[in-house]
Amino acid sequence: MTLRNRRFLLLISIITLIVAGGGLYAWLIVDLPSFHDLRDKAISPTTKIYDRHGRLLYEIIDPHAGKHTPLPLDEIPLYLRQATIATEDANFYTNPGVDLRAILRALIINLRGGEVLSGGSTITQQLARNLLLSPEERVQRTLTRKLRESILAWRLARTYTKDEVLALYLNQAYYGNLAYGVEAAAEAYFGKSASELDLAECALLAGLPQSPATYNPLENPQAARERQAVVLELMVKNGYISEEEARLAREEQLHFAAVPFPIRAPHFVMYVWGLLVRRFGPEELYRGGLEVYTTLDVDMQEAAQSIARRRLAILADRPRRDLPDPNVHNAALVALDPNSGEILAMLGSPNYFDPQIDGAVNCALAPRQPGSSIKPITYAAAFAQGHTPATMILDVPTAFLTREGEPYVPLNYDLTFRGPVLARQALASSYNLPAVKVLDCVGLDKMTALARSLGITTFDDSKRFGLALTLGGGEVRLLELTAAYAAFANGGYKVEPVAIRRIEDRQGSVLYERTPKRGERVLDERVAYLITDILSDDLARMPAFGEGSVLKLSRPAAVKTGTTTDWRDNWTIGYTPPPPSVPPIGGMKGGLGGKEGGLVVGVWAGNADNSPMRHVSGVTGAAPIWHDFMEEVLAARPLAGFVEPEGLVHVEVCALSGQLPNRYCPHRRSELFMAGTEPKETCQMHQLFALDPTTGQLASYDTPPERIVERVYTVLPAEAVEWGRERGMDIGYWILDIGDWILETRNTQHATRNTLIITSPHQGSVYRLDSALPRQAQRIEVAARAGDGVRVAGLTLIVNEEPIASFAALPYRVMWPLEPGEHTIAAVGYDPAGNRLESQPVHITVTN
C-alpha cells in the first residue's frame, strides 16, 4: 500500500473516531445534568390529598424544606450505615461507584432485544438516578438510561468521598410513610431521632427503600419482620454483627410511633400515598404537584375517632369501678359504601401519634385473627351447596381428626352444648361446634375459594388451614373482611375497596378518574340475602346475646361479632340497607357522598402489640364502637329495610328438626329457603307413644285400654342421646330416660346394661395452655354418667388415680384445672346393693 493510501485510511479512521465519539457524546453525555449542586436537586413539589368534599387532609411538602432534616454521617447510627451497605451495596467502599457486571448484563439484554430491568444498582447509582435524572428518565428501563446513570455515578464517585455519597443517600432515600431520609423515617416509624435507633430498628429501616409499600411495618408487620431478618442475615454475612446480636434483634418487640405533625386521617393518608406509589412508582411521584381527591368523609372519620376514644376510655375506667382491668388500648374502624366500595372512614388506631399504643400501626390493614366474624363465609358456602337456614345441626361433643392425626374437639364460647339447633340460630348465636361441622361438610377448599372471591387475600392456600379456620384460625385484614361483608349487603357482588376518586397534575389535567362499576358476581343474591336475614335476626341471636343487645340498632342492620379464644382480637362487622331511591352503585356526583346510601362498617378492638385483653369480647369491646358509629352517622338518613330478592320461599318448619312439622311438633317457625331447597320430609323427632304406666314400658296388645297413656316424646338422633341424657329434665320438654329407652327398645327390644361412662373430656383430646391467661381460668369439665339401666348410689371422679370429686346424686361433673402432661381420667362408684361400678379410662394430653 502506498504512503498516500495509508494517509487516506488514517484520515478516514480519525474522522470515523471523531464522528463516533461525537455521536457517543451526543447520545450519553451532552445533556447530562450537573451534580455540583446535588442537594438542590432533591426537591419535591407539593402534592395535596383531599377528602371527598375537597377538604384538605395533608399537603406533602418538599421533604428537604419541610420535615426532612439532613444529618451528618457521624450522627447516623453505625448500625444503620452498616445495614444499608450490607443490603444495598456490599462493596460500596471498594467499587468505583458502578456495578460493572450489571452494566455488562444490561448490554447483553439490550443486544438480545430485551428490556433492561432495574435492580443491582450501587448506592452511588441509586443516588445519581434519584437526584440527577429527570422524573421521566428515572422510570425508563433502557440501556441508555442505565449507561447515563452509570456515567453520573462514576463522576459522583470521582467528586465526592464515599462517606459523602453515603450521607447523601441516607438523607434522601424514600422510606415510605411520607418519610424522606433517615431522620424523617425514624420520626415517622418510631417517634424518635435517628441517633436513638437501636440495631433492630436500624435493620428494619434499612430494608425499606427497596420497596417501602411492600415492607411497610405499619400496614404489613409480618412482611417488615421478614425483611428485617434478611437485613440482619446480610449484616452477619458481611461481618458487621454476630449471630447472637442478630437473634436478639429479631426477637426484640418493636414499638411504633410518630412525631406529631399537621395531618387529618393519618392512617388513611398513608394508605393513599402507598397506593400512589404503587400506581405511579416512587420516581414518577417526584414530579409532585398532584391534586388527589379521595373517597374519605372527614365527618365520618372524626366521628369514628371520637367514638373509639370514648368507648376505650369507658373500658379503661373498669378498675376504678372495682372491675378487672380489660387491658384493651386500641381499636380500628373501616366504613365502606357496600355498592361502590368507596372507603368513607379508615381509623387505624385512636391516636396515630401515641407510642403507648403503637398508634402509628394501621390495624385496619394489619392481619389479625377474626374469631367468629369469619363464620358467615362458611355458612354462605354451605347455603350455596343447598343447605338451608333450617338445616338441623347437632351441637353435641364431637371429635374431628386433624391432618396430624390428633383429635380436635371444638368448644362453644360458654362451654355449653345445646343439642339440635338450626343453622339460623347456630350462626346468629355464633355456636362454634356447629360452624366446624358445617365447614367439615362444605370442605376447606370451597370455603377458602369463596373467601378469596370475596376479596380475602390471606387465605391463599387451603392446605395451610384446618377446621379451626371457621372459628378464626386464619388471619385477615379488617379492610378486606369488611369488603367481604359488603358482598352480603349488595346482593353478592365483589367489592374492591376504593380510596381515590380523581388525580390531577399541577396543570389541572386529569391523570386518573374512577368510573363507578359493579364488581363481578361471586355469590347468588339469594345466598347473600339468607346471610343478611340471619345476621339481622335479633330473635335468633337472643340465646347468646340476650334481648335488645348492643348489636340492635334503631334501624334494620345485619351484624356479626368475633372474639379469639386467647382474647387478643375482637371484631364487629355489620351493614345497613340503602333507601330504595339510592341507585345500586354510588354515583360520583350527588349520589352516595357518604350521606344517603347503605353502609358496611367493620370494627376491631385489641392491642397493636398483640398482647391479650382480659375478658373483652366482640360484644363488649368492638360492638359498642360499631353501634355508636352507626347510630351517629346514620341518624339523618331515612329508615329502610333489606329487600328480599326473587327466588325465595317461606315455609313453616319444626323449630327443632327443621323439617315439615307434624301434628305433634310443639314449636314451629316460618323459615326462608331458596326455591327448590325447602324440606320435603316430615319431622320424625316428635312422636306419639302409647305407654303402660304400671310397667313403664310401651303398651302392648295385652295392655288394657284404660291403662294406656299417650305421650309425645322427642326422639333424639343417636349422636345426641348422650347429650340429652346428661341434661335430664333440665331442658323444657325433653323426657330423656323414656325417650332413650324407646329408641333402644324399638331397635333391640331390650335395654343394654353398661358400666359408668366418662362423658367429658373425650378420649385422646389435646389441650394447650396459654401463658397469657391466668392458669386458674384454664379449666375443663370432667363428667361421667351411669350406663344404660345402671342405678348409682355414689360416684367419684378420678384423675391420675387421685380422687378430685365425689357425688351422691346427679350431676356428676366438676371443673378441673389443666396441668401440663399426660392424664388418665376415670370414674368409680357403687350401686344401691353395694356393687362396685367402674368406667373405661380416658387419656388426654395437656401441653404448654
Side-chain angles (χ1 to χ4, degrees):
M1 181 179 294
T2 65
L3 179 61
R4 182 177 179 180
N5 290 337
R6 284 199 297 269
R7 287 177 176 174
F8 178 76
L9 287 174
L10 179 61
L11 178 61
I12 292 298
S13 300
I14 292 173
I15 293 173
T16 301
L17 287 174
I18 292 173
V19 171
L24 183 64
Y25 180 81
W27 175 38
L28 295 177
I29 301 173
V30 67
D31 61 344
L32 280 177
S34 169
F35 54 84
H36 294 289
D37 298 321
L38 193 61
R39 291 173 180 83
D40 293 338
K41 301 288 185 180
I43 296 175
S44 179
T46 296
T47 289
K48 296 177 181 178
I49 297 177
Y50 303 94
D51 89 332
R52 68 187 303 114
H53 302 297
R55 291 171 290 192
L56 184 65
L57 299 177
Y58 185 62
E59 182 175 0
I60 304 169
I61 57 177
D62 167 19
H64 288 76
K67 59 182 284 192
H68 177 86
T69 306
L71 297 177
L73 192 64
D74 58 4
E75 292 185 20
I76 298 174
L78 179 61
Y79 281 139
L80 184 51
R81 288 178 264 160
Q82 293 172 333
T84 300
I85 292 171
T87 305
E88 298 292 341
D89 187 1
N91 300 315
F92 172 71
Y93 277 103
T94 58
N95 65 43
V98 294
D99 185 342
L100 297 177
R101 285 180 298 181
I103 295 173
L104 180 61
R105 184 167 60 248
L107 283 167
I108 294 172
I109 293 172
N110 184 261
L111 290 172
R112 292 177 178 174
E115 182 182 60
V116 177
L117 301 177
S118 60
S121 298
T122 65
I123 285 175
T124 314
Q125 285 176 268
Q126 293 180 52
L127 186 66
R129 178 173 67 246
N130 291 336
L131 294 188
L132 296 176
L133 294 182
S134 68
E136 293 81 7
E137 189 173 2
R138 287 176 207 147
V139 298
Q140 294 174 4
R141 295 184 175 183
T142 63
L143 177 62
T144 301
R145 194 224 74 192
K146 193 74 175 178
L147 293 175
R148 284 163 59 83
E149 169 191 301
S150 300
I151 293 170
L152 285 171
W154 186 84
R155 286 183 173 183
L156 282 175
R158 309 281 75 76
T159 306
Y160 293 92
T161 67
K162 288 290 186 180
D163 284 351
E164 288 174 328
V165 171
L166 181 60
L168 280 169
Y169 176 83
L170 290 171
N171 279 303
Q172 68 81 36
Y174 181 57
Y175 289 87
N177 231 44
L178 307 179
Y180 291 85
V182 294
E183 182 71 2
E187 292 177 352
Y189 291 107
F190 301 111
K192 61 175 70 172
S193 172
S195 61
E196 302 174 82
L197 299 174
D198 63 15
L199 172 58
E201 295 163 338
C202 288
L204 186 136
L205 291 185
L208 295 180
Q210 190 175 102
S211 184
T214 302
Y215 303 123
N216 186 348
L218 305 183
E219 295 183 4
N220 197 339
Q222 182 61 32
R225 277 293 195 180
E226 292 171 359
R227 178 65 173 163
Q228 178 202 46
V230 170
V231 173
L232 290 167
E233 183 180 337
L234 290 171
M235 293 181 73
V236 172
K237 179 181 177 181
N238 285 276
Y240 292 127
I241 59 174
S242 67
E243 287 280 5
E244 178 64 12
E245 288 175 306
R247 183 187 66 81
L248 292 174
R250 281 194 302 270
E251 295 175 356
E252 180 180 322
Q253 179 70 49
L254 298 179
H255 296 283
F256 297 102
V259 171
F261 56 92
I263 188 173
R264 301 174 85 174
H267 291 103
F268 179 75
V269 168
M270 301 306 172
Y271 174 69
V272 168
W273 187 252
L275 295 177
L276 294 172
V277 169
R278 293 183 183 96
R279 183 176 186 85
F280 295 105
E283 291 87 358
E284 188 74 10
L285 290 178
Y286 272 92
R287 300 183 188 191
L290 300 181
E291 300 279 317
V292 182
Y293 297 91
T294 72
T295 62
L296 193 85
D297 187 310
V298 163
D299 296 330
M300 283 193 180
Q301 181 73 19
E302 293 179 351
Q305 181 167 336
S306 174
I307 290 167
R309 286 179 174 179
R310 183 177 72 246
R311 280 297 183 176
L312 289 173
I314 291 172
L315 284 171
D317 193 48
R318 279 185 177 181
R320 196 177 63 81
R321 292 177 281 136
D322 296 325
L323 296 172
D325 179 7
N327 190 43
V328 53
H329 306 291
N330 218 323
L333 181 148
V334 169
L336 300 175
D337 169 0
N339 291 300
S340 68
E342 293 189 351
I343 300 172
L344 303 172
M346 177 188 281
L347 184 74
S349 76
N351 188 348
Y352 183 87
F353 300 107
D354 186 354
Q356 300 300 317
I357 63 170
D358 292 320
V361 174
N362 190 345
C363 292
L365 302 178
R368 308 286 300 215
Q369 290 196 343
S372 295
S373 63
I374 202 70
K375 287 176 183 173
I377 297 179
T378 300
Y379 281 87
F383 294 162
Q385 292 184 18
H387 299 278
T388 75
T391 297
M392 192 264 284
I393 309 168
L394 291 177
D395 183 17
V396 297
T398 308
F400 300 87
L401 197 64
T402 66
R403 286 195 179 96
E404 295 76 22
E406 298 178 352
Y408 166 54
V409 183
L411 300 175
N412 289 321
Y413 178 78
D414 57 0
L415 305 181
T416 299
F417 296 98
R418 290 168 175 80
V421 296
L422 302 189
R424 173 178 292 274
Q425 182 182 331
L427 173 57
S429 289
S430 200
Y431 300 150
N432 286 343
L433 192 140
V436 174
K437 283 191 171 183
V438 172
L439 179 56
D440 190 45
C441 177
V442 169
L444 277 163
D445 289 342
K446 292 287 182 61
M447 185 269 193
T448 53
L450 177 58
R452 288 193 296 271
S453 71
L454 292 170
I456 306 294
T457 61
T458 48
F459 291 178
D460 53 346
D461 180 6
S462 62
K463 295 182 176 58
R464 294 196 299 116
F465 305 108
L467 293 175
L469 180 64
T470 191
L471 307 182
E475 294 182 330
V476 300
R477 296 177 175 88
L478 177 62
L479 178 62
E480 293 181 352
L481 189 56
T482 305
Y485 271 64
F488 298 137
N490 68 26
Y493 293 94
K494 182 178 181 178
V495 168
E496 296 279 359
V498 176
I500 301 173
R501 305 178 98 192
R502 189 174 73 258
I503 303 172
E504 298 176 358
D505 64 16
R506 70 184 78 180
Q507 285 79 33
S509 299
V510 177
L511 302 179
Y512 164 81
E513 185 162 15
R514 177 178 177 267
T515 302
K517 61 180 180 179
R518 170 161 279 171
E520 63 175 316
R521 179 175 288 284
V522 293
L523 201 60
D524 188 309
E525 65 177 334
R526 298 171 299 170
V527 172
Y529 184 81
L530 290 178
I531 296 296
T532 295
D533 192 53
I534 293 173
L535 297 186
S536 60
D537 189 343
D538 197 48
L539 185 64
R541 62 171 168 254
M542 194 180 299
F545 298 99
E547 185 176 4
S549 71
V550 71
L551 301 179
K552 186 175 178 61
L553 300 181
S554 59
R555 64 181 60 234
V559 58
K560 183 73 187 72
T561 65
T563 304
T564 56
T565 54
D566 55 10
W567 305 97
R568 297 180 193 275
D569 305 276
N570 67 65
W571 305 62
T572 299
I573 307 177
Y575 48 93
T576 59
S581 60
V582 174
I585 301 177
M588 294 295 286
K589 296 180 179 179
L592 206 58
K595 297 298 183 184
E596 298 93 4
L599 190 66
V600 55
V601 174
V603 177
W604 167 88
N607 295 302
D609 63 2
N610 214 32
S611 60
M613 297 168 283
R614 298 186 184 94
H615 300 284
V616 177
S617 68
V619 78
T620 58
I625 299 173
W626 177 86
H627 174 276
D628 292 359
F629 179 81
M630 282 292 206
E631 292 287 13
E632 181 169 329
V633 302
L634 297 175
R637 300 191 193 180
L639 295 180
F642 293 104
V643 179
E644 181 180 313
E646 295 181 358
L648 293 172
V649 294
H650 294 259
V651 178
E652 185 180 59
V653 298
C654 171
L656 185 67
S657 69
Q659 297 174 321
L660 296 174
N662 64 36
R663 58 187 293 194
Y664 307 116
C665 294
H667 300 285
R668 309 176 183 202
R669 61 163 288 115
S670 177
E671 188 52 87
L672 198 58
F673 299 88
M674 291 193 292
T677 66
E678 58 268 32
K680 304 296 189 296
E681 297 181 357
T682 302
C683 175
Q684 297 296 310
M685 291 184 69
H686 298 106
Q687 298 184 29
L688 181 69
F689 293 95
L691 304 179
D692 185 342
T694 60
T695 64
Q697 298 181 3
L698 288 173
S700 67
Y701 291 109
D702 299 327
T703 305
E706 65 271 14
R707 288 217 315 254
I708 294 177
V709 176
E710 291 185 335
R711 280 191 178 178
V712 174
Y713 290 104
T714 301
V715 180
L716 295 174
E719 186 182 348
V721 168
E722 185 66 48
W723 168 87
R725 182 187 287 107
E726 290 178 17
R727 277 141 187 81
M729 294 289 293
D730 293 340
I731 301 179
Y733 49 82
W734 303 103
I735 311 294
L736 294 164
D737 287 337
I738 298 177
D740 185 32
W741 177 81
I742 291 172
L743 277 173
E744 293 180 357
T745 55
R746 288 170 65 196
N747 294 326
T748 66
Q749 296 304 311
H750 68 277
T752 57
R753 185 178 183 85
N754 297 319
T755 182
L756 302 179
I757 298 171
I758 299 295
T759 59
S760 179
H762 293 278
Q763 184 72 261
S765 295
V766 178
Y767 300 90
R768 291 177 174 82
L769 291 170
D770 188 340
S771 60
L773 298 176
R775 181 61 62 85
Q776 63 269 22
Q778 302 183 68
R779 303 185 297 164
I780 61 170
E781 181 185 66
V782 176
R785 71 165 178 87
D788 300 327
V790 175
R791 298 180 63 191
V792 177
L795 184 146
T796 299
L797 294 172
I798 297 172
V799 176
N800 301 331
E801 301 183 354
E802 294 290 333
I804 61 170
S806 295
F807 309 91
L810 286 168
Y812 311 127
R813 58 171 69 110
V814 67
M815 298 304 293
W816 175 66
L818 294 172
E819 293 292 338
E822 305 285 337
H823 303 287
T824 301
I825 297 171
V828 299
Y830 54 90
D831 64 16
N835 298 312
R836 181 179 174 83
L837 306 172
E838 295 182 358
S839 72
Q840 291 293 322
V842 168
H843 302 282
I844 68 169
T845 302
V846 181
T847 64
N848 283 312

